Each structure stands twice: as structure tokens, then as C-alpha cells.
Amino acid sequence: MSGKPKLYYFDGRGKMESIRWLLAAAGVEFEEEFLETREQYEKLLQGGSLLFQQVPMVEMDGMRMVQTRAILSYIAAKYNLYGKDLKERALIDMYVGGTDDLMGFILMFPFLSAEDKEKQRAFIVQKATSRYFPVYEKVLKDHGQDFLVGNNFSWADVHLLEAILMVEEKKSDVLSGFPQLQAFKARISSIPTIKKFLEPGSQRKPVPDDKYVETVRRVLRMYYDLKAN
């Protein structure tokens, strides 16, 4: 386990996408092994790599790491995207936690029925515009700085941009009432490493399609139906 980090997940977004985003933001090249069969997954289980019997899993710096939040925290700290002191780290954790909650409403969207998707789409937009985006709009307006924490680029900025783009896929003009977030989106998107990740041909994954859903269901044996909030 040396060289580039290696990511074990499906060929799609899911919980691994935020890890891809953060590595890309840090300018770190990484490799991926996509799970396509139940046998691949069981091999990882039998080999003891998946401590809690679930992916994402990342091989990095001689470790096999699981649990998305632990992986992200490690990457943020390693590449100086986690603030300069404990107070800044607490703010970053708080903002990341908020965007995590919002993205959680989107994570299972591809697995819903067509009827439930329409309900969930409206729910996502309502929560984004009434609970989450107003918080970040106020933070940026109140401190007048380019970034969310300490006027330095951090994990919180990466995570928020990812969340904004995910919600815009559900409603393209969702930022129409948030001028600070519109400027923030443009600013963060122009950072060279982010700009590169947003370009065609990068390791950023597209909106999950039916093939992705079927692969996840087959590998994880997800045979139950999910419901919208």
C-alpha cells in the first residue's frame, strides 16, 4: 500500500464522491477499483479490509481506512484543509456537518420510485433554500471573506460547493435568492484543482443512472424499496 491512494467503491457517486472531491481539491492523484460483483465485495469482507462490512474504503499511507467521515478528516488534516487551530476546525466540522445533512437527502434519491423522486426533489429544494443555504449566505455576508472559515480554502468550502452543484441538478436556479453563494460558487469553481475536477474527463462521477443503481443493489443485496422523506 504505497503510492497513490486507492479508492474501493462503485463506479458512481454515493458516499465516495466527497472523498474524490477532497482529494482532487488537494491536488492528489488517486486510483479506483470499482465494485461490480458480489464476489469482489465478499473478497474484501473475507480479507478483513472492511471493518464495519461496508464501503467506502481507501488505501492510503499504509492504512486501509473505512468510515467516510474519518477518511475525509484525515485527508483534510493531511493537506492543510482543516483550519489553523481547534476553533477553526470546529467551525469546519460544523459547516461540513450541515452540508452532510443536506447531501444525505440526495444520496438515496436514485433508489426511489419515480413518484417518490418528485416528492423528494421538492423536499430537497425546500430544505436547501429554507434551512441550509441561508446559513452559509449569512456567514459569507457577515464576515465578508472569500472562504467560509479563516479566509483560507478548506474542506468546508469544497463540501459546500459539492452540495450546491448537487442541489442545482434538482433545480437549476436554486441560488437565485443567494447572491453570496452565487459569488462563492464562481470563486471556488475557479480554483485550479477544483476547475480541473469539474472539467470533462476527470474522476468526478455523473448523476447516478439506472446501471449504477442496479449494480449497488446487486452487490449489496439491497432488495427493499426506499421511501422519500
Side-chain angles (χ1 to χ4, degrees):
M1 292 186 291
S2 60
K4 298 178 183 177
K6 187 170 182 179
L7 282 49
Y8 293 80
Y9 201 67
F10 306 98
D11 187 7
R13 290 183 183 176
K15 290 188 174 183
M16 185 64 88
E17 189 70 355
S18 292
I19 297 169
R20 297 184 186 107
W21 265 90
L22 197 57
L23 286 169
V28 178
E29 294 183 355
F30 55 89
E31 300 174 347
E32 301 190 74
E33 180 171 317
F34 298 127
L35 300 181
E36 299 176 344
T37 66
R38 179 70 184 182
E39 289 71 27
Q40 284 176 286
Y41 179 65
E42 289 179 346
K43 184 177 179 181
L44 290 175
L45 288 174
Q46 292 163 6
S49 296
L50 306 182
L51 292 184
F52 301 104
Q53 301 181 24
Q54 61 194 29
V55 287
M57 192 266 281
V58 174
E59 287 184 353
M60 184 175 181
D61 295 341
M63 298 184 290
R64 289 189 176 96
M65 294 186 287
V66 296
Q67 292 295 328
T68 308
R69 187 58 180 256
I71 297 167
L72 288 165
S73 297
Y74 180 81
I75 295 167
K78 178 179 175 70
Y79 295 104
N80 300 314
L81 295 170
Y82 212 173
K84 67 178 185 296
D85 56 33
L86 281 175
K87 287 185 178 180
E88 288 192 358
R89 183 167 293 193
L91 287 172
I92 290 168
D93 282 339
M94 188 167 64
Y95 297 148
V96 165
T99 48
D100 259 347
D101 290 345
L102 175 57
M103 287 193 286
F105 299 135
I106 305 172
L107 186 64
M108 301 311 294
F109 184 87
F111 298 88
L112 300 174
S113 68
E115 180 182 356
D116 283 339
K117 280 181 178 178
E118 289 310 305
K119 295 177 183 177
Q120 188 71 351
R121 188 188 311 275
F123 179 85
I124 290 164
V125 171
Q126 188 272 327
K127 289 297 183 183
T129 55
S130 66
R131 179 182 292 185
Y132 297 100
F133 288 173
V135 171
Y136 304 113
E137 181 79 5
K138 186 176 188 301
V139 168
L140 292 166
K141 183 177 181 180
D142 286 353
H143 67 38
Q145 297 173 338
D146 289 345
F147 306 104
L148 285 172
V149 179
N151 205 27
N152 285 301
F153 182 48
S154 76
W155 174 19
D157 302 305
V158 179
H159 217 50
L160 178 55
L161 177 61
E162 182 189 0
I164 287 171
L165 296 180
M166 289 172 73
V167 179
E168 283 186 329
E169 289 169 350
K170 302 294 177 271
K171 188 174 189 295
S172 60
D173 64 347
V174 73
L175 290 186
S176 59
F178 302 96
Q180 295 292 332
L181 287 180
Q182 291 176 38
F184 171 87
K185 174 191 168 185
R187 203 160 50 239
I188 304 304
S189 296
S190 68
I191 292 172
T193 54
I194 297 292
K195 184 177 180 180
K196 182 179 179 181
F197 190 59
L198 292 173
E199 291 174 350
S202 79
Q203 288 170 286
R204 183 185 179 212
K205 299 299 181 269
V207 176
D209 58 13
D210 290 343
K211 180 180 178 182
Y212 167 77
V213 170
E214 174 56 32
T215 300
V216 173
R217 286 188 182 276
R218 183 177 66 253
V219 173
L220 298 183
R221 294 180 176 169
M222 293 170 54
Y223 300 125
Y224 52 86
D225 291 325
L226 298 167
K227 296 295 182 182
N229 286 280

